[in-house]
Amino acid sequence: MNGEPEVHEEFEARLKAYEGRAAAATGVGRDPVNEPMIRHWCEAMGDTSPAYTGPDAIAPPTMLQAWTMAGLTRRPERTAAYDELLRLLDESGYDAVVATDCEQEYPRPLRPGDEITFDSVIESVSGLKTTKLGAGHFVTTRTDIRAGGELAGTHRFRILKYSPAHRPKDPTPGPAKEPRPRPVINRDNAGFWEGVARHELLIQRCTGCGDLRFPWLPGCNSCGCPEWDTVEASGEGTVYSYVVMHHPPFPAFEPPYAVGLIELAEGVRIVSNVVGVPYDKVRIGMPVRLEFRRYDDALVLPVFQGVTR
């Protein structure tokens, strides 16, 4: 025995000591629940439910986290304990991070004018897990969101702090290019990525009301039906909106490059890269055509080729 198991058991005990400690305390929403943000959200998501307009409007339940976000500034309510936990993982070699999933509960709807307060707790830190990305620890925080002191929602957010399985080699004589980030595949979206592997862009279709939806969800936003099948996208679309990424630089990406919100001919929208045209020539309304690009032996992604006239 070289003592390594005992060392890791001691390390995991240190991680477990953070469970139950506050991650954010006495947080206050930057803005009350308001109609403009609801409208922007619904336009971006293509959600036309009448529940979100009119004198008795409620906020879309899935906006829950939006009311707690701090923007580009550091969260003043974030605690030293949460920073200490992340620093401990970083210093122990688990210095890469990826968000894996979130869970939400909605005890009561939020309405325009509601003032938001929230608190977060470090709910759990997992033992060492081996993933395709590398070995690491899952950290789950739970945020309780209140309106007027009444619990309105619970948001659980889980990240993986991991040591990459394949770190780039020392850049000599030239820098090694890092691999593209891998998509997080779960039971709700596995069918989509299976389609991508076959060079098919699959859209969910509710078998209850026939509505198409993207991204993939476990149930229909329009009628609530959990049953669905798929249709294959034609591959034709237009640029609904876009951004050009200059900064900050991310490994495996070479700025500047265009990221578009693509409206497919079928009416749903997908976020992907716009390729084949200079980034400064991308325009709203530009026709695009789907193609599948292989980035390495294990990764194929749908992108959209700009069509110039």
Side-chain angles (χ1 to χ4, degrees):
M1 296 290 291
N2 59 11
E4 288 186 4
E6 289 82 356
V7 169
H8 201 80
E9 286 178 7
E10 179 182 344
F11 176 69
E12 290 194 0
R14 292 177 65 191
L15 296 179
K16 286 290 184 182
Y18 285 92
E19 292 185 346
R21 298 180 66 180
T26 60
V28 178
R30 295 182 69 182
D31 299 287
V33 177
N34 63 83
E35 293 176 359
M37 285 180 65
I38 292 172
R39 184 178 67 254
H40 294 324
W41 176 281
C42 290
E43 289 177 355
M45 300 301 292
D47 194 338
T48 58
S49 171
Y52 309 139
T53 59
D56 297 320
I58 63 172
T62 50
M63 283 190 75
L64 186 65
Q65 188 186 19
W67 308 114
T68 70
M69 289 182 172
L72 299 178
T73 59
R74 186 187 183 280
R75 304 187 70 101
E77 67 277 352
R78 195 158 109 173
T79 64
Y82 190 65
D83 287 336
E84 288 170 8
L85 171 60
L86 299 184
R87 187 163 55 249
L88 175 59
L89 287 162
D90 285 343
E91 292 171 351
S92 301
Y94 307 109
D95 53 359
V97 62
V98 62
T100 62
D101 60 284
C102 70
E103 304 169 13
Q104 294 185 337
E105 300 171 14
Y106 315 114
R108 84 143 172 96
L110 292 172
R111 301 182 183 280
D114 281 340
E115 301 276 354
I116 300 301
T117 59
F118 58 94
D119 297 278
S120 297
V121 64
I122 302 168
E123 190 167 64
S124 65
V125 185
S126 77
L128 185 64
K129 303 294 183 182
T130 301
T131 74
K132 289 183 179 180
L133 292 174
H137 297 267
F138 289 93
V139 178
T140 304
T141 54
R142 188 193 76 240
T143 302
D144 293 326
I145 295 112
R146 296 178 174 81
E150 181 182 359
L151 184 65
T154 298
H155 175 81
R156 284 181 174 85
F157 190 70
R158 187 171 295 111
I159 62 173
L160 172 65
K161 290 285 289 177
Y162 66 98
S163 177
H166 303 289
R167 290 184 182 272
K169 296 180 180 179
D170 189 32
T172 51
K177 187 173 181 180
E178 291 196 18
R180 283 253 179 163
R182 268 41 187 170
V184 175
I185 301 176
N186 55 39
R187 63 184 180 183
D188 291 329
N189 66 12
F192 171 77
W193 291 107
E194 290 166 3
V196 169
R198 300 190 300 268
H199 288 201
E200 299 173 355
L201 186 64
L202 299 180
I203 304 169
Q204 281 183 312
R205 177 174 57 190
C206 175
T207 56
C209 67
D211 274 8
L212 301 180
R213 64 178 184 263
F214 194 91
W216 281 36
L217 296 169
C220 180
N221 274 333
S222 297
C223 72
C225 177
E227 304 299 328
W228 52 270
D229 59 12
T230 61
V231 296
E232 184 178 355
S234 68
E236 303 297 320
T238 57
V239 176
Y240 184 83
S241 181
Y242 72 96
V243 296
V244 175
M245 295 297 297
H246 293 272
H247 187 82
F250 294 100
F253 295 86
E254 297 178 1
Y257 55 92
V259 179
L261 178 61
I262 307 302
E263 185 161 79
L264 299 177
E266 291 75 15
V268 299
R269 298 172 192 153
I270 179 175
V271 175
S272 186
N273 288 104
V274 180
V275 301
V277 294
Y279 69 89
D280 57 353
K281 300 299 183 183
V282 177
R283 295 290 184 269
I284 291 173
M286 171 184 280
V288 292
R289 186 173 297 116
L290 172 69
E291 67 175 59
F292 292 90
R293 284 196 175 183
R294 179 170 291 280
Y295 288 90
D296 55 47
D297 291 342
L299 184 65
V300 174
L301 293 175
V303 297
F304 289 85
Q305 175 88 21
V307 179
T308 56
R309 304 183 183 206

